[in-house]
PDB file of all heavy atoms in Angstrom:
ATOM      1  N   LEU I 185     -34.264 -31.637  -1.171  1.00 90.00           N
ATOM      2  CA  LEU I 185     -34.520 -32.973  -0.633  1.00 90.00           C
ATOM      3  C   LEU I 185     -34.835 -34.036  -1.713  1.00 90.00           C
ATOM      4  O   LEU I 185     -34.391 -35.147  -1.755  1.00 90.00           O
ATOM      5  CB  LEU I 185     -35.660 -33.046   0.420  1.00 90.00           C
ATOM      6  CG  LEU I 185     -35.308 -32.187   1.701  1.00 90.00           C
ATOM      7  CD1 LEU I 185     -36.526 -32.122   2.527  1.00 90.00           C
ATOM      8  CD2 LEU I 185     -34.201 -32.885   2.408  1.00 90.00           C
ATOM      9  N   LEU I 186     -35.605 -33.615  -2.712  1.00 91.00           N
ATOM     10  CA  LEU I 186     -36.037 -34.433  -3.823  1.00 91.00           C
ATOM     11  C   LEU I 186     -34.713 -34.772  -4.618  1.00 91.00           C
ATOM     12  O   LEU I 186     -34.590 -36.029  -5.026  1.00 91.00           O
ATOM     13  CB  LEU I 186     -37.046 -33.811  -4.785  1.00 91.00           C
ATOM     14  CG  LEU I 186     -37.879 -34.674  -5.583  1.00 91.00           C
ATOM     15  CD1 LEU I 186     -38.604 -35.684  -4.821  1.00 91.00           C
ATOM     16  CD2 LEU I 186     -38.820 -33.703  -6.400  1.00 91.00           C
ATOM     17  N   LEU I 187     -33.834 -33.883  -4.794  1.00 91.00           N
ATOM     18  CA  LEU I 187     -32.598 -34.133  -5.465  1.00 91.00           C
ATOM     19  C   LEU I 187     -31.697 -35.106  -4.753  1.00 91.00           C
ATOM     20  O   LEU I 187     -31.112 -36.050  -5.384  1.00 91.00           O
ATOM     21  CB  LEU I 187     -31.830 -32.743  -5.621  1.00 91.00           C
ATOM     22  CG  LEU I 187     -31.034 -32.541  -6.740  1.00 91.00           C
ATOM     23  CD1 LEU I 187     -31.861 -32.376  -7.959  1.00 91.00           C
ATOM     24  CD2 LEU I 187     -30.270 -31.315  -6.654  1.00 91.00           C
ATOM     25  N   GLN I 188     -31.783 -35.088  -3.500  1.00 91.00           N
ATOM     26  CA  GLN I 188     -30.939 -36.090  -2.610  1.00 91.00           C
ATOM     27  C   GLN I 188     -31.566 -37.378  -2.786  1.00 91.00           C
ATOM     28  O   GLN I 188     -30.853 -38.454  -2.733  1.00 91.00           O
ATOM     29  CB  GLN I 188     -30.892 -35.520  -1.202  1.00 91.00           C
ATOM     30  CG  GLN I 188     -30.090 -34.295  -1.034  1.00 91.00           C
ATOM     31  CD  GLN I 188     -30.124 -33.880   0.465  1.00 91.00           C
ATOM     32  OE1 GLN I 188     -29.953 -34.510   1.358  1.00 91.00           O
ATOM     33  NE2 GLN I 188     -30.322 -32.517   0.648  1.00 91.00           N
ATOM     34  N   SER I 189     -32.914 -37.437  -2.758  1.00 91.00           N
ATOM     35  CA  SER I 189     -33.485 -38.747  -2.936  1.00 91.00           C
ATOM     36  C   SER I 189     -33.202 -39.358  -4.230  1.00 91.00           C
ATOM     37  O   SER I 189     -32.992 -40.600  -4.349  1.00 91.00           O
ATOM     38  CB  SER I 189     -35.063 -38.488  -2.793  1.00 91.00           C
ATOM     39  OG  SER I 189     -35.716 -39.816  -2.960  1.00 91.00           O
ATOM     40  N   ILE I 190     -33.200 -38.596  -5.270  1.00 92.00           N
ATOM     41  CA  ILE I 190     -32.908 -39.225  -6.548  1.00 92.00           C
ATOM     42  C   ILE I 190     -31.392 -39.565  -6.675  1.00 92.00           C
ATOM     43  O   ILE I 190     -31.114 -40.522  -7.174  1.00 92.00           O
ATOM     44  CB  ILE I 190     -33.274 -38.076  -7.712  1.00 92.00           C
ATOM     45  CG1 ILE I 190     -34.745 -37.844  -7.807  1.00 92.00           C
ATOM     46  CG2 ILE I 190     -32.698 -38.525  -9.013  1.00 92.00           C
ATOM     47  CD1 ILE I 190     -35.096 -36.729  -8.652  1.00 92.00           C
ATOM     48  N   GLY I 191     -30.563 -38.725  -6.006  1.00 91.00           N
ATOM     49  CA  GLY I 191     -29.168 -39.013  -5.949  1.00 91.00           C
ATOM     50  C   GLY I 191     -28.852 -40.339  -5.350  1.00 91.00           C
ATOM     51  O   GLY I 191     -27.943 -41.129  -5.721  1.00 91.00           O
ATOM     52  N   LEU I 192     -29.645 -40.641  -4.223  1.00 89.00           N
ATOM     53  CA  LEU I 192     -29.450 -41.867  -3.494  1.00 89.00           C
ATOM     54  C   LEU I 192     -29.699 -43.058  -4.442  1.00 89.00           C
ATOM     55  O   LEU I 192     -29.043 -44.108  -4.369  1.00 89.00           O
ATOM     56  CB  LEU I 192     -30.421 -41.929  -2.254  1.00 89.00           C
ATOM     57  CG  LEU I 192     -29.901 -41.463  -0.987  1.00 89.00           C
ATOM     58  CD1 LEU I 192     -30.971 -41.529   0.124  1.00 89.00           C
ATOM     59  CD2 LEU I 192     -28.646 -42.221  -0.521  1.00 89.00           C
ATOM     60  N   GLN I 193     -30.798 -42.903  -5.235  1.00 88.00           N
ATOM     61  CA  GLN I 193     -31.057 -43.991  -6.176  1.00 88.00           C
ATOM     62  C   GLN I 193     -29.918 -44.143  -7.138  1.00 88.00           C
ATOM     63  O   GLN I 193     -29.581 -45.368  -7.512  1.00 88.00           O
ATOM     64  CB  GLN I 193     -32.361 -43.743  -7.036  1.00 88.00           C
ATOM     65  CG  GLN I 193     -33.517 -43.392  -6.035  1.00 88.00           C
ATOM     66  CD  GLN I 193     -33.843 -44.386  -5.049  1.00 88.00           C
ATOM     67  OE1 GLN I 193     -33.759 -45.681  -5.264  1.00 88.00           O
ATOM     68  NE2 GLN I 193     -33.960 -43.959  -3.850  1.00 88.00           N
ATOM     69  N   LEU I 194     -29.417 -43.086  -7.605  1.00 89.00           N
ATOM     70  CA  LEU I 194     -28.271 -43.221  -8.519  1.00 89.00           C
ATOM     71  C   LEU I 194     -27.076 -43.778  -8.008  1.00 89.00           C
ATOM     72  O   LEU I 194     -26.349 -44.631  -8.550  1.00 89.00           O
ATOM     73  CB  LEU I 194     -27.927 -41.800  -9.082  1.00 89.00           C
ATOM     74  CG  LEU I 194     -28.928 -41.151 -10.051  1.00 89.00           C
ATOM     75  CD1 LEU I 194     -28.631 -39.723 -10.403  1.00 89.00           C
ATOM     76  CD2 LEU I 194     -29.040 -42.007 -11.281  1.00 89.00           C
ATOM     77  N   ILE I 195     -26.736 -43.424  -6.711  1.00 88.00           N
ATOM     78  CA  ILE I 195     -25.660 -43.810  -5.935  1.00 88.00           C
ATOM     79  C   ILE I 195     -25.782 -45.372  -5.783  1.00 88.00           C
ATOM     80  O   ILE I 195     -24.779 -46.219  -5.916  1.00 88.00           O
ATOM     81  CB  ILE I 195     -25.505 -43.163  -4.590  1.00 88.00           C
ATOM     82  CG1 ILE I 195     -25.008 -41.783  -4.792  1.00 88.00           C
ATOM     83  CG2 ILE I 195     -24.583 -43.934  -3.628  1.00 88.00           C
ATOM     84  CD1 ILE I 195     -25.192 -40.881  -3.459  1.00 88.00           C
ATOM     85  N   ARG I 196     -26.955 -45.803  -5.413  1.00 85.00           N
ATOM     86  CA  ARG I 196     -27.214 -47.243  -5.258  1.00 85.00           C
ATOM     87  C   ARG I 196     -26.960 -48.022  -6.446  1.00 85.00           C
ATOM     88  O   ARG I 196     -26.548 -49.059  -6.437  1.00 85.00           O
ATOM     89  CB  ARG I 196     -28.692 -47.413  -4.775  1.00 85.00           C
ATOM     90  CG  ARG I 196     -29.148 -48.749  -4.333  1.00 85.00           C
ATOM     91  CD  ARG I 196     -30.565 -48.743  -3.872  1.00 85.00           C
ATOM     92  NE  ARG I 196     -30.922 -50.070  -3.339  1.00 85.00           N
ATOM     93  CZ  ARG I 196     -31.944 -50.382  -2.567  1.00 85.00           C
ATOM     94  NH1 ARG I 196     -32.778 -49.399  -2.311  1.00 85.00           N
ATOM     95  NH2 ARG I 196     -32.157 -51.569  -2.066  1.00 85.00           N
ATOM     96  N   ALA I 197     -27.311 -47.460  -7.617  1.00 82.00           N
ATOM     97  CA  ALA I 197     -27.195 -48.130  -8.851  1.00 82.00           C
ATOM     98  C   ALA I 197     -25.807 -48.208  -9.340  1.00 82.00           C
ATOM     99  O   ALA I 197     -25.306 -49.119  -9.944  1.00 82.00           O
ATOM    100  CB  ALA I 197     -28.110 -47.522  -9.890  1.00 82.00           C
ATOM    101  N   PHE I 198     -25.016 -47.140  -9.203  1.00 81.00           N
ATOM    102  CA  PHE I 198     -23.738 -46.956  -9.801  1.00 81.00           C
ATOM    103  C   PHE I 198     -22.498 -46.884  -9.044  1.00 81.00           C
ATOM    104  O   PHE I 198     -21.346 -47.125  -9.521  1.00 81.00           O
ATOM    105  CB  PHE I 198     -23.760 -45.654 -10.764  1.00 81.00           C
ATOM    106  CG  PHE I 198     -24.859 -45.655 -11.730  1.00 81.00           C
ATOM    107  CD1 PHE I 198     -25.933 -44.786 -11.743  1.00 81.00           C
ATOM    108  CD2 PHE I 198     -24.726 -46.688 -12.745  1.00 81.00           C
ATOM    109  CE1 PHE I 198     -26.814 -44.862 -12.759  1.00 81.00           C
ATOM    110  CE2 PHE I 198     -25.697 -46.634 -13.771  1.00 81.00           C
ATOM    111  CZ  PHE I 198     -26.883 -45.820 -13.763  1.00 81.00           C
TER     112      PHE I 198
END
Side-chain angles (χ1 to χ4, degrees):
Chain I
L185 292 172
L186 201 57
L187 215 66
Q188 290 176 49
S189 178
I190 295 169
L192 270 175
Q193 306 310 313
L194 292 173
I195 289 167
R196 185 176 189 167
F198 296 116

